[in-house]
Amino acid sequence: MRLHRLDLTAFGPFGGSQTVDFDELSSAGLFLLHGPTGAGKTSVLDAVCYALYGSVPGVRQSGQGLTLRSDHAAPATRTEVRLELTVAGRRLELTRQPPWARPKKRGTGSTLDKAQSWLREYDATAGDWKDLTRSHQEIGEEITQLLGMSREQFCQVVLLPQGEFARFLRSDAEARGKLLGRLFDTHRFAEVEKRLAERRRTTEAQVRQGDAELLADAHRMQQAAGDAMELPDLAPGEPGLAAEVLGAAAVARSTAREQLTIAHSRLAAAESARAAAERELADVRELARLQQRFAQARERAALLEERADGYRQAQARMERARKAEAVAPALELREAADAEHREAARAEARARDLLPETFADAGAAGLTAAARRAAEELGGLESARRAEQRLAELGVERAELDRQERADEDVRQEAEAWLAGWDTNRAELRTRIESAQEAANRAEQLAARREPAERRLRAARQRDQFAADTEDAQRQVLARAERAVETRAHWLDLKEQRLNGIAAELAAHLTDGEPCAVCGASEHPAPARKSAEHVDRAAEEQALTAHQRAEEQRTEAERRLGVVREALAAATAEAGDTPTGQLADEVAELERLYEQARRDASWLHPATEELRQAEQEHDRRTGIQQQAALRAASRATLRDTLDRERALLEEELAQTRGTADSVAARAAQLERQAALLTDAADTARVAEDTAQRLKDADARLADAAFRAGFETPRAAADALLDDSAHRELQRRLDAWQSEEAAVRAVLAEADTAAAAQQPPADPDAAERAASAAERRTRDAASARDAAARRCTELDRLSTRSAAGARQLAPLREEYDRVARLAALTAGTSADNERRMRLESYVLAARLEQVAAAATVRLRRMSSGRYTLVHSDDRAGRGRSGLGLHVVDAWTGRERDTATLSGGETFFASLALALGLADVVTDEAGGVRLDTLFIDEGFGSLDEQTLDEVLDVLDSLRERDRSVGIVSHVADLRRRIHAQLEVVKGRAGSAVRQRGQ
């Protein structure tokens, strides 16, 4: 990498534009960058770093790049850094502009512009620059790939900060590891350590979990086996746990099977004893039953003997009841006749009580004749009843005439009152009709004004919308136009690249022995080869398609802009320049007036209809008044006629009613008297008939009782039994006979009599013996079942434990392997004697390379006295691997670099920095670093050492390198002729360049 030119504008302390020509400075091989403190020497190096990576080293990068702008710059000047360099054989130009808070073009205040970046490459064939990309990300990836270094590596290798390397010499292994880790990017080895540690923890947790599950099964087996199993005294994760658990489980299973066999034997013996006790209990129970049966039969026989007299009396009572059953029909007939006669006598007494005393001694024939005379008198009252009914109708008609007269009077008065206000009501209705008609005319006028106003309002709103659409369309046209220009430029660049490499594309189709399509030669000794940047036809056509698509989009955007502008002009012509808000207010006012007029006009039809109905009501009420007068005259004539007819009827009825209040009352008296007489005659005839039937029934009952053997009918009636008494007596007789037969049968049984001769049985003792045998059998069965369950549970848990141990074995092997690797890479393993971590081991190898490269220059700077060597000894109880010692050739002893003096530390750190630059360059893929910068530290050297250091730096020109020294030392200004001076002032800093 070689720097050619650096242009600064408004960057850091530089308020204006400054240019640094590195080609002129590098021609001397060694140049000096000097200036007073705060002038901006470091800002020059920051500008180089910012141009390459888009950021500056350390804490100076803050505020998203806004702090890079110079405070001395004019407000309209934008900050910019442009760097021209050659890397990997390509000449590139990098331009970067950080974010900029520029003044607004209109109004006050500022607006933030985004950061901008450009990457261009010089085409020697065309003699011009061509654009590569403007993407921050693509530029960063391209530069990082070309240089092979990150920003941190670049700042350590190209911008050599001597202070940091001096600290590097005096620091401990941990600090050296951090610096070397950033430079050589060894975080992947640290990631390996981390991954192995995580894998060890994961597998350890899995093994512990598996062992915990195995121990849980062992505890369950111990609970199932009782005291027959002892658990191993091991924790989860310890070796040998699975074998110990499986061994203890085998012992427990064997013990459980022995206990099961013993339980089977005990159960068989208990079942045999239980069967014998059950047989003995059955025999004793049968003997006790027979003895009890014989004793009960003797007791029942004695009881029957005591109740023999009652049985004979019951037999006699049953015999008398059977004889009385022959008299029962005659008794029932006599009772029915007696009941009928008593009921007839009571009915006759009730009927005679309702008659007058004149009929108290009359017989049935006399009562019948009196009833016939009352009926004949009732028939003669029919004509008087019709006259009385007509008299009632005349009263109703007279009352109706009075009601009609009152109703007509009310109607007449109401009509007169209504007609009295007719003229006023009609005038009011006509006034309302005229007002509604005027409102309707006004609404028609407002409707004619409202529609044009609404059209103008709609046009004004469309005018505002089209104005906004026009601005959006203009922005879209500009964006599409820029895109079209960019795609055209990209297509032309690709086309140019393809034309430049067309020879290689044609050479790809050459065949030995066939003529060339260009020159015609059949031999092709040196056909052109495609370069890495070669563009084929497909890429060119793809770029052309993208350009054509962008042109079509731009044309479409312009067409849409024209359409929107035409619509805006039409809407403006319709709406004018009046604001939309003012038009909306006018439309709202017209709408309000129109709605008010419509509401007022809506009363036109109701008022007209109301006037029509009022006129009809006027005609109706006038007719009603006239008809009422006619009906009054007619009613006077009808009233006189009704009065004469009423006088005649009242005279006739007075003669017919007699002492009764009315004809109807007289007829009711006669009807009730005839009915009572008829009822009394009927009941008298019935009472006479029932008395004769009762006398006949008494004669038949006396004859039946005599034939049945009873002295009187009463005796026969007393001997009768009802159904329930008869059934109860028969049940008692049957029960006595059944009991007597049953007792005789029991006493005649041979086995029962034999049992009665034996000693009394003891069932309680036999039951206690049987219960004890049953209890012993249940206990033996429970013990047998418990032993069987114990064996089954132990077998199940043992099988699961064995399966778990088999599944855990590969995981345990993996854990042992990963744990060994993790401990080895972490430096904690006994196999790692120096306790060196993996990352430290890699960094130690890099440090050894750096020390070897630095020793070459350190020996020249120290006149062969000092040599840097790498040490992997442990420091105290810490870890080893990143030690750095210096070997003093004068004393032959090796000592720590922290013991070097100030000047010795400077040239040792300079040698270390140069050696580190060489190693990092080789690590980055061999990219040449033709421009280096060394920052400060030369003031600590004496004159001879300074000469030797400058000789070493001057020797770098042998490799076509240029070295820039950043220093305040005045002696260097005499020794180094190529200089870049940074001068500070009130208006900002400036650079002055002096060549050879």
Side-chain angles (χ1 to χ4, degrees), residues 711-738:
E711 295 179 357
T712 62
R714 173 53 56 189
D718 293 340
L720 279 175
L721 293 175
D722 57 11
D723 292 342
S724 60
H726 186 276
R727 286 195 299 272
E728 176 62 24
L729 183 60
Q730 184 64 45
R731 183 191 65 75
R732 286 169 57 194
L733 293 174
D734 294 342
W736 197 92
Q737 293 174 359
S738 299

mmCIF file of all heavy atoms in Angstrom, residues 711-738:
data_model
loop_
_atom_site.group_PDB
_atom_site.id
_atom_site.type_symbol
_atom_site.label_atom_id
_atom_site.label_comp_id
_atom_site.label_asym_id
_atom_site.label_seq_id
_atom_site.Cartn_x
_atom_site.Cartn_y
_atom_site.Cartn_z
ATOM 1 N N GLU A 711 -134.340 -68.402 67.567
ATOM 2 C CA GLU A 711 -135.607 -68.097 68.197
ATOM 3 C C GLU A 711 -136.185 -66.788 67.655
ATOM 4 O O GLU A 711 -137.405 -66.666 67.502
ATOM 5 C CB GLU A 711 -135.421 -68.007 69.713
ATOM 6 C CG GLU A 711 -135.014 -69.343 70.348
ATOM 7 C CD GLU A 711 -134.802 -69.228 71.836
ATOM 8 O OE1 GLU A 711 -134.923 -68.073 72.334
ATOM 9 O OE2 GLU A 711 -134.503 -70.240 72.477
ATOM 10 N N THR A 712 -135.306 -65.796 67.437
ATOM 11 C CA THR A 712 -135.783 -64.481 66.962
ATOM 12 C C THR A 712 -134.900 -64.025 65.813
ATOM 13 O O THR A 712 -133.748 -64.451 65.662
ATOM 14 C CB THR A 712 -135.708 -63.430 68.087
ATOM 15 O OG1 THR A 712 -134.338 -63.261 68.485
ATOM 16 C CG2 THR A 712 -136.570 -63.848 69.293
ATOM 17 N N PRO A 713 -135.387 -63.125 64.977
ATOM 18 C CA PRO A 713 -134.531 -62.552 63.915
ATOM 19 C C PRO A 713 -133.309 -61.821 64.474
ATOM 20 O O PRO A 713 -132.243 -61.797 63.860
ATOM 21 C CB PRO A 713 -135.478 -61.599 63.188
ATOM 22 C CG PRO A 713 -136.844 -62.164 63.427
ATOM 23 C CD PRO A 713 -136.838 -62.709 64.821
ATOM 24 N N ARG A 714 -133.418 -61.242 65.707
ATOM 25 C CA ARG A 714 -132.267 -60.541 66.287
ATOM 26 C C ARG A 714 -131.138 -61.495 66.572
ATOM 27 O O ARG A 714 -129.962 -61.162 66.380
ATOM 28 C CB ARG A 714 -132.741 -59.822 67.561
ATOM 29 C CG ARG A 714 -131.665 -59.179 68.379
ATOM 30 C CD ARG A 714 -130.789 -58.243 67.523
ATOM 31 N NE ARG A 714 -131.613 -57.246 66.878
ATOM 32 C CZ ARG A 714 -131.166 -56.412 65.954
ATOM 33 N NH1 ARG A 714 -129.927 -56.520 65.513
ATOM 34 N NH2 ARG A 714 -131.966 -55.514 65.418
ATOM 35 N N ALA A 715 -131.460 -62.726 67.073
ATOM 36 C CA ALA A 715 -130.419 -63.728 67.367
ATOM 37 C C ALA A 715 -129.690 -64.116 66.092
ATOM 38 O O ALA A 715 -128.460 -64.283 66.074
ATOM 39 C CB ALA A 715 -131.054 -64.949 68.026
ATOM 40 N N ALA A 716 -130.417 -64.274 64.998
ATOM 41 C CA ALA A 716 -129.764 -64.605 63.723
ATOM 42 C C ALA A 716 -128.854 -63.469 63.269
ATOM 43 O O ALA A 716 -127.741 -63.686 62.760
ATOM 44 C CB ALA A 716 -130.829 -64.901 62.663
ATOM 45 N N ALA A 717 -129.304 -62.249 63.465
ATOM 46 C CA ALA A 717 -128.472 -61.103 63.061
ATOM 47 C C ALA A 717 -127.196 -61.030 63.881
ATOM 48 O O ALA A 717 -126.111 -60.708 63.379
ATOM 49 C CB ALA A 717 -129.260 -59.795 63.203
ATOM 50 N N ASP A 718 -127.272 -61.363 65.216
ATOM 51 C CA ASP A 718 -126.064 -61.321 66.048
ATOM 52 C C ASP A 718 -125.074 -62.411 65.667
ATOM 53 O O ASP A 718 -123.858 -62.251 65.867
ATOM 54 C CB ASP A 718 -126.479 -61.476 67.519
ATOM 55 C CG ASP A 718 -127.293 -60.269 68.028
ATOM 56 O OD1 ASP A 718 -127.171 -59.184 67.355
ATOM 57 O OD2 ASP A 718 -127.996 -60.378 69.019
ATOM 58 N N ALA A 719 -125.535 -63.576 65.160
ATOM 59 C CA ALA A 719 -124.621 -64.669 64.803
ATOM 60 C C ALA A 719 -123.871 -64.415 63.500
ATOM 61 O O ALA A 719 -122.874 -65.071 63.209
ATOM 62 C CB ALA A 719 -125.420 -65.964 64.730
ATOM 63 N N LEU A 720 -124.311 -63.508 62.698
ATOM 64 C CA LEU A 720 -123.642 -63.234 61.422
ATOM 65 C C LEU A 720 -122.246 -62.598 61.637
ATOM 66 O O LEU A 720 -122.027 -61.845 62.591
ATOM 67 C CB LEU A 720 -124.498 -62.287 60.579
ATOM 68 C CG LEU A 720 -125.643 -62.921 59.796
ATOM 69 C CD1 LEU A 720 -126.471 -61.843 59.126
ATOM 70 C CD2 LEU A 720 -125.113 -63.913 58.766
ATOM 71 N N LEU A 721 -121.314 -62.929 60.766
ATOM 72 C CA LEU A 721 -119.952 -62.336 60.750
ATOM 73 C C LEU A 721 -119.757 -61.575 59.445
ATOM 74 O O LEU A 721 -120.128 -62.055 58.374
ATOM 75 C CB LEU A 721 -118.893 -63.439 60.867
ATOM 76 C CG LEU A 721 -118.839 -64.208 62.195
ATOM 77 C CD1 LEU A 721 -117.823 -65.347 62.097
ATOM 78 C CD2 LEU A 721 -118.461 -63.289 63.347
ATOM 79 N N ASP A 722 -119.097 -60.419 59.557
ATOM 80 C CA ASP A 722 -118.750 -59.712 58.303
ATOM 81 C C ASP A 722 -117.532 -60.376 57.660
ATOM 82 O O ASP A 722 -116.946 -61.305 58.216
ATOM 83 C CB ASP A 722 -118.493 -58.233 58.577
ATOM 84 C CG ASP A 722 -117.393 -58.020 59.605
ATOM 85 O OD1 ASP A 722 -116.708 -59.015 59.918
ATOM 86 O OD2 ASP A 722 -117.203 -56.876 60.080
ATOM 87 N N ASP A 723 -117.138 -59.905 56.497
ATOM 88 C CA ASP A 723 -116.067 -60.567 55.733
ATOM 89 C C ASP A 723 -114.737 -60.556 56.477
ATOM 90 O O ASP A 723 -114.032 -61.586 56.533
ATOM 91 C CB ASP A 723 -115.899 -59.870 54.387
ATOM 92 C CG ASP A 723 -117.110 -60.092 53.490
ATOM 93 O OD1 ASP A 723 -117.860 -61.037 53.781
ATOM 94 O OD2 ASP A 723 -117.289 -59.315 52.508
ATOM 95 N N SER A 724 -114.380 -59.461 57.093
ATOM 96 C CA SER A 724 -113.087 -59.391 57.776
ATOM 97 C C SER A 724 -113.060 -60.288 59.011
ATOM 98 O O SER A 724 -112.074 -60.991 59.264
ATOM 99 C CB SER A 724 -112.778 -57.936 58.169
ATOM 100 O OG SER A 724 -113.793 -57.434 59.050
ATOM 101 N N ALA A 725 -114.150 -60.282 59.791
ATOM 102 C CA ALA A 725 -114.200 -61.143 60.980
ATOM 103 C C ALA A 725 -114.186 -62.613 60.600
ATOM 104 O O ALA A 725 -113.530 -63.436 61.253
ATOM 105 C CB ALA A 725 -115.454 -60.803 61.793
ATOM 106 N N HIS A 726 -114.901 -62.930 59.486
ATOM 107 C CA HIS A 726 -114.904 -64.315 59.024
ATOM 108 C C HIS A 726 -113.517 -64.764 58.599
ATOM 109 O O HIS A 726 -113.056 -65.860 58.944
ATOM 110 C CB HIS A 726 -115.908 -64.446 57.868
ATOM 111 C CG HIS A 726 -116.103 -65.859 57.407
ATOM 112 N ND1 HIS A 726 -115.261 -66.469 56.507
ATOM 113 C CD2 HIS A 726 -117.041 -66.816 57.740
ATOM 114 C CE1 HIS A 726 -115.639 -67.690 56.290
ATOM 115 N NE2 HIS A 726 -116.743 -67.946 57.029
ATOM 116 N N ARG A 727 -112.778 -63.890 57.875
ATOM 117 C CA ARG A 727 -111.424 -64.258 57.419
ATOM 118 C C ARG A 727 -110.479 -64.392 58.605
ATOM 119 O O ARG A 727 -109.631 -65.296 58.632
ATOM 120 C CB ARG A 727 -110.899 -63.198 56.432
ATOM 121 C CG ARG A 727 -111.558 -63.267 55.068
ATOM 122 C CD ARG A 727 -110.763 -62.456 54.051
ATOM 123 N NE ARG A 727 -110.697 -61.026 54.417
ATOM 124 C CZ ARG A 727 -111.609 -60.135 54.052
ATOM 125 N NH1 ARG A 727 -112.661 -60.520 53.314
ATOM 126 N NH2 ARG A 727 -111.493 -58.876 54.415
ATOM 127 N N GLU A 728 -110.587 -63.495 59.583
ATOM 128 C CA GLU A 728 -109.692 -63.552 60.739
ATOM 129 C C GLU A 728 -109.928 -64.850 61.541
ATOM 130 O O GLU A 728 -108.968 -65.504 61.967
ATOM 131 C CB GLU A 728 -109.927 -62.319 61.614
ATOM 132 C CG GLU A 728 -109.134 -62.291 62.904
ATOM 133 C CD GLU A 728 -107.627 -62.276 62.664
ATOM 134 O OE1 GLU A 728 -107.183 -61.836 61.546
ATOM 135 O OE2 GLU A 728 -106.857 -62.698 63.547
ATOM 136 N N LEU A 729 -111.229 -65.216 61.734
ATOM 137 C CA LEU A 729 -111.513 -66.432 62.479
ATOM 138 C C LEU A 729 -111.023 -67.671 61.745
ATOM 139 O O LEU A 729 -110.428 -68.568 62.348
ATOM 140 C CB LEU A 729 -113.037 -66.529 62.740
ATOM 141 C CG LEU A 729 -113.510 -67.721 63.583
ATOM 142 C CD1 LEU A 729 -112.850 -67.673 64.973
ATOM 143 C CD2 LEU A 729 -115.021 -67.708 63.710
ATOM 144 N N GLN A 730 -111.184 -67.684 60.411
ATOM 145 C CA GLN A 730 -110.719 -68.838 59.629
ATOM 146 C C GLN A 730 -109.184 -68.909 59.645
ATOM 147 O O GLN A 730 -108.610 -69.996 59.703
ATOM 148 C CB GLN A 730 -111.243 -68.698 58.195
ATOM 149 C CG GLN A 730 -110.911 -69.884 57.315
ATOM 150 C CD GLN A 730 -111.594 -71.154 57.811
ATOM 151 O OE1 GLN A 730 -112.786 -71.148 58.164
ATOM 152 N NE2 GLN A 730 -110.857 -72.254 57.903
ATOM 153 N N ARG A 731 -108.512 -67.728 59.650
ATOM 154 C CA ARG A 731 -107.037 -67.732 59.684
ATOM 155 C C ARG A 731 -106.534 -68.320 60.994
ATOM 156 O O ARG A 731 -105.576 -69.106 61.011
ATOM 157 C CB ARG A 731 -106.522 -66.289 59.515
ATOM 158 C CG ARG A 731 -104.992 -66.188 59.453
ATOM 159 C CD ARG A 731 -104.566 -64.762 59.559
ATOM 160 N NE ARG A 731 -104.920 -64.206 60.890
ATOM 161 C CZ ARG A 731 -104.265 -64.484 62.010
ATOM 162 N NH1 ARG A 731 -103.255 -65.314 62.010
ATOM 163 N NH2 ARG A 731 -104.667 -63.944 63.151
ATOM 164 N N ARG A 732 -107.205 -67.969 62.126
ATOM 165 C CA ARG A 732 -106.786 -68.488 63.416
ATOM 166 C C ARG A 732 -106.935 -70.018 63.470
ATOM 167 O O ARG A 732 -106.065 -70.730 63.977
ATOM 168 C CB ARG A 732 -107.623 -67.843 64.512
ATOM 169 C CG ARG A 732 -107.231 -66.379 64.766
ATOM 170 C CD ARG A 732 -108.259 -65.699 65.649
ATOM 171 N NE ARG A 732 -108.415 -66.429 66.903
ATOM 172 C CZ ARG A 732 -109.391 -66.256 67.764
ATOM 173 N NH1 ARG A 732 -110.368 -65.390 67.468
ATOM 174 N NH2 ARG A 732 -109.443 -66.965 68.883
ATOM 175 N N LEU A 733 -108.038 -70.520 62.918
ATOM 176 C CA LEU A 733 -108.241 -71.975 62.917
ATOM 177 C C LEU A 733 -107.197 -72.689 62.068
ATOM 178 O O LEU A 733 -106.634 -73.712 62.475
ATOM 179 C CB LEU A 733 -109.651 -72.291 62.415
ATOM 180 C CG LEU A 733 -110.798 -71.834 63.339
ATOM 181 C CD1 LEU A 733 -112.143 -72.065 62.653
ATOM 182 C CD2 LEU A 733 -110.749 -72.575 64.671
ATOM 183 N N ASP A 734 -106.918 -72.131 60.893
ATOM 184 C CA ASP A 734 -105.916 -72.750 60.001
ATOM 185 C C ASP A 734 -104.532 -72.705 60.624
ATOM 186 O O ASP A 734 -103.750 -73.666 60.516
ATOM 187 C CB ASP A 734 -105.917 -72.024 58.656
ATOM 188 C CG ASP A 734 -107.223 -72.221 57.899
ATOM 189 O OD1 ASP A 734 -107.958 -73.169 58.241
ATOM 190 O OD2 ASP A 734 -107.496 -71.402 56.974
ATOM 191 N N ALA A 735 -104.170 -71.609 61.273
ATOM 192 C CA ALA A 735 -102.840 -71.487 61.867
ATOM 193 C C ALA A 735 -102.651 -72.518 62.982
ATOM 194 O O ALA A 735 -101.579 -73.112 63.129
ATOM 195 C CB ALA A 735 -102.648 -70.053 62.424
ATOM 196 N N TRP A 736 -103.719 -72.716 63.807
ATOM 197 C CA TRP A 736 -103.589 -73.687 64.900
ATOM 198 C C TRP A 736 -103.370 -75.097 64.354
ATOM 199 O O TRP A 736 -102.513 -75.832 64.825
ATOM 200 C CB TRP A 736 -104.870 -73.644 65.737
ATOM 201 C CG TRP A 736 -104.698 -74.283 67.094
ATOM 202 C CD1 TRP A 736 -104.344 -73.688 68.239
ATOM 203 C CD2 TRP A 736 -104.885 -75.664 67.378
ATOM 204 N NE1 TRP A 736 -104.285 -74.583 69.262
ATOM 205 C CE2 TRP A 736 -104.598 -75.842 68.754
ATOM 206 C CE3 TRP A 736 -105.261 -76.801 66.611
ATOM 207 C CZ2 TRP A 736 -104.688 -77.090 69.380
ATOM 208 C CZ3 TRP A 736 -105.325 -78.038 67.245
ATOM 209 C CH2 TRP A 736 -105.048 -78.161 68.613
ATOM 210 N N GLN A 737 -104.080 -75.423 63.287
ATOM 211 C CA GLN A 737 -103.932 -76.757 62.688
ATOM 212 C C GLN A 737 -102.547 -76.937 62.066
ATOM 213 O O GLN A 737 -101.908 -77.980 62.210
ATOM 214 C CB GLN A 737 -105.030 -76.970 61.642
ATOM 215 C CG GLN A 737 -106.429 -77.044 62.235
ATOM 216 C CD GLN A 737 -107.499 -77.105 61.149
ATOM 217 O OE1 GLN A 737 -107.172 -77.065 59.965
ATOM 218 N NE2 GLN A 737 -108.778 -77.213 61.560
ATOM 219 N N SER A 738 -102.051 -75.886 61.354
ATOM 220 C CA SER A 738 -100.724 -75.977 60.735
ATOM 221 C C SER A 738 -99.635 -76.119 61.782
ATOM 222 O O SER A 738 -98.680 -76.902 61.623
ATOM 223 C CB SER A 738 -100.459 -74.726 59.883
ATOM 224 O OG SER A 738 -101.402 -74.602 58.857
#
